[in-house]
Amino acid sequence: MATTSSAPGKVYLFGEHAVVYGEPAVPCAIGRRATVHVDQRPDGRLRVEAEDLSLDGFSVEYGRGETPDVDVPTPLVQAAVGYVEEAVAQARDAIGDSEAGFDVTIESNIPLGAGLGSSAAVVVAAIDAATRSHGVTLDKPELADRAYQVEHSVQDGEASRADTFCSTMGGAVRVEGDECVRLSDVPDLPIVVGYDGGSGDTATLVAGVRSLKEEYDFAADAIASIGDVTRRGTAALEADDVRELGRLMNFNHGLLAALGVSGRSLEEMVWAAREAGASGAKLTGAGGGGCIAVLDDTDASLTALRYLPGCEEAFRAGLDREGVRRL
Ligand code: MEV
């Protein structure tokens, strides 16, 4: 059977990195999606084709025990294949057939490795489409859990449930350790995304934060402070207080910068948005390079970002309340 599923990307309003150490985080799904088409294959092999992952696309085909020979062997593509491979392993486990073969085609308008949860969206949609291609429909909590297991294994055990839970459920969610809840009554937020065209390596950035935390008590304090900001931010979100949300996002960004995960182009975008009058602006996701999330109910920061030489793309991102979609 041929099946198609899609899942949204996300921005972090609060809490990335700190969430890895049990602090709360609030990611929020946005209207950019990864769509995965899956066909069963009788020969037990896996073929992965990506049509648009902000790259020129790639394809790879291999059988069990063979090494994937990717036609565009960049680190980002290798990483994408790693996520898909683990997602397929989860699907094989869920359908109870370790020999199942799949043709997987991925389309996505979420930039890869740029802090918008591209890997989580691909993983959620791939597990969902692959299991359904064998007549098994997972409930959302199991789908989110299996997707988390993929990130946990690809990211060397340094992953939280935040990205995968948010992409599965949609809307704004709060994740603290294993406790994941979808927040109700979240208003439509005036989110703008700025993208510098770059990316960061999640595993390396997470490891960098860990070593700072181990070396300096004040780095550990900064992580705990991100938790405090997130708790206040959750209250501001529930009260629909965009001004306070923005101020807290700015504070969260400062703490992330102190932990070494910002970068020049992210800072330039953050300051362009703030100087244009945004309520708040912060990097989103692992950092290094990639995207910032801005709150602005005017078009001023969108315009400022579009004129900023270091910003490749800027767009409005509406809250996606749907999560995984079965097509
Ligand atoms: C990456 O999108 C977010 C991090 O907090 C890692 C994770 O939560 O798995 C940096």
Side-chain angles (χ1 to χ4, degrees):
M1 198 184 359
T3 45
T4 302
S5 299
S6 73
K10 54 108 234 310
V11 295
Y12 273 88
L13 296 177
F14 301 105
E16 56 272 86
H17 283 288
V19 70
V20 173
Y21 306 99
E23 298 293 344
V26 179
C28 151
I30 58 168
R32 288 222 163 186
R33 287 188 165 253
T35 302
V36 179
H37 312 277
V38 174
D39 262 318
Q40 284 187 28
R41 281 179 77 116
D43 61 3
R45 290 171 71 79
L46 174 62
R47 177 179 166 77
V48 183
E49 192 155 333
E51 297 194 337
D52 177 15
L53 292 174
S54 304
L55 303 157
D56 295 333
F58 67 89
S59 68
V60 54
E61 178 179 330
Y62 54 106
R64 294 176 73 75
E66 292 172 24
T67 311
D69 182 15
V70 191
D71 61 357
V72 188
T74 67
L76 275 179
V77 168
Q78 308 278 19
V81 172
Y83 282 106
V84 176
E85 195 167 14
E86 287 292 324
V88 164
Q90 283 293 332
R92 285 179 172 140
D93 183 62
I95 63 180
D97 179 359
S98 61
E99 304 291 314
F102 302 94
D103 270 329
V104 178
T105 306
I106 305 165
E107 292 164 55
S108 172
N109 61 1
I110 311 168
L112 260 193
L116 297 186
S118 56
S119 57
V122 167
V123 166
V124 167
I127 296 175
D128 195 64
T131 47
R132 287 195 305 116
S133 75
H134 282 254
V136 175
T137 302
L138 300 178
D139 61 25
K140 284 189 174 184
E142 180 175 355
L143 177 60
D145 183 59
R146 287 190 177 275
Y148 162 67
Q149 301 303 336
V150 171
E151 295 222 320
H152 188 265
S153 118
V154 177
Q155 290 168 209
D156 299 328
E158 298 270 38
S160 72
R161 294 181 179 273
D163 287 29
T164 42
F165 184 77
C166 183
S167 190
T168 306
M169 302 297 174
V173 305
R174 185 176 187 282
V175 172
E176 186 167 1
D178 287 341
E179 195 187 301
C180 306
V181 288
R182 195 170 183 279
L183 300 174
S184 53
D185 299 331
V186 170
D188 274 322
L189 296 170
I191 299 171
V192 170
V193 172
Y195 172 40
D196 66 7
S199 62
D201 181 77
T202 301
T204 307
L205 289 153
V206 170
V209 172
R210 177 172 295 282
S211 60
L212 280 179
K213 177 178 180 286
E214 281 164 6
E215 194 168 352
Y216 301 114
D217 286 350
F218 44 80
D221 292 345
I223 289 170
S225 295
I226 291 176
D228 292 338
V229 171
T230 304
R231 280 180 274 273
R232 290 285 283 266
T234 311
L237 184 60
E238 284 169 339
D240 194 7
D241 186 344
V242 172
R243 223 176 130 253
E244 174 75 349
L245 268 179
R247 216 169 23 197
L248 293 167
M249 284 168 67
N250 287 341
F251 209 110
N252 194 157
H253 178 80
L255 291 165
L256 288 166
L259 292 169
V261 299
S262 189
R264 190 187 183 102
S265 58
L266 295 175
E267 291 300 323
E268 282 172 0
M269 292 194 294
V270 159
W271 280 100
R274 288 181 188 164
E275 283 169 7
S279 306
K282 65 181 277 294
L283 70 83
T284 173
C291 293
I292 62 161
V294 179
L295 284 191
D296 189 352
D297 51 16
T298 76
D299 283 338
S301 45
L302 193 59
T303 306
L305 286 168
R306 286 185 175 152
Y307 278 103
L308 184 73
C311 177
E312 188 168 297
E313 197 189 343
F315 54 92
R316 248 193 205 287
L319 181 65
D320 184 306
R321 298 180 191 271
E322 191 181 358
V324 67
R325 183 185 298 160
R326 292 160 175 155
L327 299 149

